[in-house]
Amino acid sequence: MFQKGLKDVVAVHTKIASVEGDIGELRYRGIQVGELITNHSFEEIAYFLWNGKFADRNESYTLQEGRDLPAHVKTIIDALPTETPLMDVMRTATSAYAHPAFTNQPIEQQARQLTASLPVIIARHYRNANGLPIIEPDPTLSHTANYLWMLTGNKPADVHVEALETYLKLTMEHGMNASTFAARVTISTESDLTAAVTSALGTMKGPLHGGAPSAVIELLEEIGTEDNISPVIQTKLENGERIMGFGHRIYKTEDPRSILLRDKCANLAGQDGWLDLATAAEKEIIELLEAYKPGRKLYTNVEYYAAAIMRALQMPPELFTPTFSAARMVGWTAHSIEQLSDNTIFRPQSVYVGKKS
Ligand SMILES: CC(C)(COP(=O)(O)OP(=O)(O)OC[C@H]1O[C@@H](n2cnc3c(N)ncnc32)[C@H](O)[C@@H]1OP(=O)(O)O)[C@@H](O)C(=O)NCCC(=O)NCCS
């Protein structure tokens, strides 16, 4: 059987996440994401995804120890040309963890350190690239708050930390997407975890996977005011264009992540008139999509409100895919651990269709 792009082919059985597109449901290890994000921190959900249980409530579980980058990793980041795209910096820096002192540790410990390190790597290169002094991690701050602190040098407002953390928690894991598959293929050769996540980072870099929120921002900037929503969208639909932030390959009803992000945006609204425009535009665009594309079931996807949150946090677009990757590191490492627990090397077939002489 041949399926181009392995579309609809079941490649693994997993206990990490279920994505039910018809009913708009996402669960991590059997629990609805809405319930998880309300009751647990990023750090706690990461532990849960790696271990299948929550950490003992009596021991506070943090990702702090991995925030101190090894000296050679700092040297490598600082040596890269400042114009190197962040996804490439992240891939190179992560790859540099591959030395025996690191790879001989228990795999869950490696997963924890790689997850803790990614925001620090991003912030270091971002500040280098912008000619700003490096900010050291603050041990009093959570994983998310520390990321904002290291990027900006300002103690972040609680409402901003909460909005970003909601986004990070909702994007930690999403089943068999391309980058997670890449991680599982690499680890299935009994390579190591750094190699698996380096493959995943390389895969995430591509625009078909990693980056749509900036296109949503461009769309809403083009709309500009509420009066313009219908004329702009109608023109685009009449020209056969796609409306960014709408539609999903799996979800044929509202993307549950977009509903949860919209709730967080309500807390941020008023700080930025743009968020009010995004909320008004959503309703009108869905109605227009149903009128122009009846029966296609086109609703907002996660990128729409992700864009709203990123913009409210004043995150520049070059940080969008890196930030998404920093969250998805948890999914990549959890899947790698699961793959190794019952491993068979991935080795599909190919059919030769070229000439024979
Ligand atoms: C995400 C996406 C690729 C999923 O596509 P898909 O499930 O494979 O759906 P298809 O590409 O087969 O499209 C099905 C129909 O819906 C239409 N459609 C899908 N998304 C649309 C959108 N955002 N705007 C307008 N029409 C859209 C297609 O034109 C097609 O119409 P047709 O039947 O007249 O040819 C698609 O919805 C899209 O391009 N969205 C915009 C980009 C985006 O937001 N990406 C982030 C994803 S998280």
Side-chain angles (χ1 to χ4, degrees):
M1 189 189 72
F2 169 57
Q3 276 287 19
K4 203 170 180 191
L6 300 181
K7 193 171 183 237
D8 298 329
V9 172
V10 175
V12 298
H13 283 181
T14 181
K15 292 183 177 160
I16 299 172
S18 56
V19 187
E20 302 282 345
D22 292 336
I23 53 171
E25 191 179 86
L26 171 62
R27 290 174 185 261
Y28 293 167
R29 293 200 179 272
I31 303 181
Q32 297 256 20
V33 279
E35 188 184 328
L36 277 172
I37 67 163
T38 309
N39 299 319
H40 297 280
S41 66
F42 179 92
E43 290 88 329
E44 288 170 344
I45 301 174
Y47 185 97
F48 178 60
L49 284 169
W50 290 322
N51 297 289
K53 58 178 185 171
F54 287 103
D56 186 342
R57 280 272 177 190
N58 296 325
E59 57 171 279
S60 78
Y61 185 70
T62 72
L63 291 171
Q64 283 189 15
E65 63 184 87
R67 286 182 194 166
D68 290 324
L69 303 182
H72 76 280
V73 173
K74 290 184 190 171
T75 306
I76 288 170
I77 297 170
D78 295 346
L80 289 169
T82 51
E83 64 275 19
T84 310
L86 252 168
M87 290 302 291
D88 300 307
V89 174
M90 291 157 77
R91 199 186 59 234
T92 303
T94 301
S95 178
Y97 274 78
H99 53 87
F102 183 80
T103 52
N104 287 340
Q105 298 177 101
I107 195 163
E108 195 268 332
Q109 204 169 317
Q110 295 177 50
R112 202 164 69 215
Q113 285 193 40
L114 289 168
T115 302
S117 71
L118 220 41
V120 183
I121 292 168
I122 297 169
R124 191 172 187 96
H125 180 73
Y126 175 75
R127 292 190 68 90
N128 279 342
N130 287 285
L132 297 165
I134 303 300
I135 306 283
E136 291 303 323
D138 180 338
T140 66
L141 296 177
S142 69
H143 182 68
T144 308
N146 183 61
Y147 179 40
L148 288 173
W149 157 246
M150 293 189 73
L151 282 173
T152 63
N154 298 316
K155 288 286 153 69
D158 288 348
V159 69
H160 287 168
V161 176
E162 209 190 311
L164 180 62
E165 180 145 337
T166 302
Y167 171 69
L168 296 179
K169 289 191 272 195
L170 289 171
T171 47
M172 285 163 106
E173 161 58 12
H174 207 241
M176 204 40 45
N177 51 84
S179 57
T180 303
F181 184 52
R184 284 191 82 131
V185 170
T186 302
I187 204 92
S188 81
T189 67
E190 296 187 1
S191 179
D192 53 46
L193 193 63
T194 48
V197 300
T198 302
S199 295
L201 281 161
T203 310
M204 180 67 103
K205 183 186 169 189
L208 292 187
H209 189 8
S214 36
V216 175
I217 288 185
E218 279 165 27
L219 172 74
L220 286 160
E221 273 170 357
E222 186 182 342
I223 292 174
T225 63
E226 290 194 25
D227 302 346
N228 262 339
I229 300 169
S230 280
V232 169
I233 299 299
Q234 277 176 326
T235 308
K236 285 187 181 296
L237 290 174
E238 277 159 22
N239 291 337
E241 285 177 47
R242 291 194 175 214
I243 311 302
M244 292 297 130
F246 293 80
H248 195 276
R249 177 62 57 80
I250 308 283
Y251 293 116
K252 296 304 168 197
T253 179
E254 272 198 285
D255 181 336
R257 300 168 299 171
S258 126
I259 300 170
L260 294 160
L261 283 179
R262 181 171 53 213
D263 290 350
K264 282 299 149 201
C265 284
N267 297 344
L268 293 169
Q271 299 191 3
D272 179 352
W274 194 84
L275 273 173
D276 300 324
L277 174 67
T279 317
E282 179 190 19
K283 198 166 166 290
E284 237 174 290
I285 295 174
I286 290 174
E287 283 168 9
L288 286 166
L289 283 168
E290 183 51 28
Y292 280 81
K293 296 276 174 185
R296 292 349 180 271
K297 300 183 176 162
L298 301 169
Y299 299 93
T300 19
N301 59 47
V302 69
E303 306 289 2
Y304 188 78
Y305 282 105
I309 285 183
M310 296 297 182
R311 177 154 161 152
L313 294 174
Q314 297 182 340
M315 281 239 187
E318 70 261 28
L319 289 175
F320 291 1
T321 308
T323 302
F324 177 20
S325 306
R328 188 53 61 82
M329 178 62 92
V330 178
W332 295 334
T333 48
H335 274 272
S336 299
I337 293 168
E338 185 179 69
Q339 180 65 34
L340 285 181
S341 70
D342 182 20
N343 190 38
T344 304
I345 187 172
F346 283 93
R347 180 40 175 109
Q349 294 286 1
S350 55
V351 174
Y352 177 73
V353 294
K355 285 184 186 161
K356 284 184 184 162
S357 57

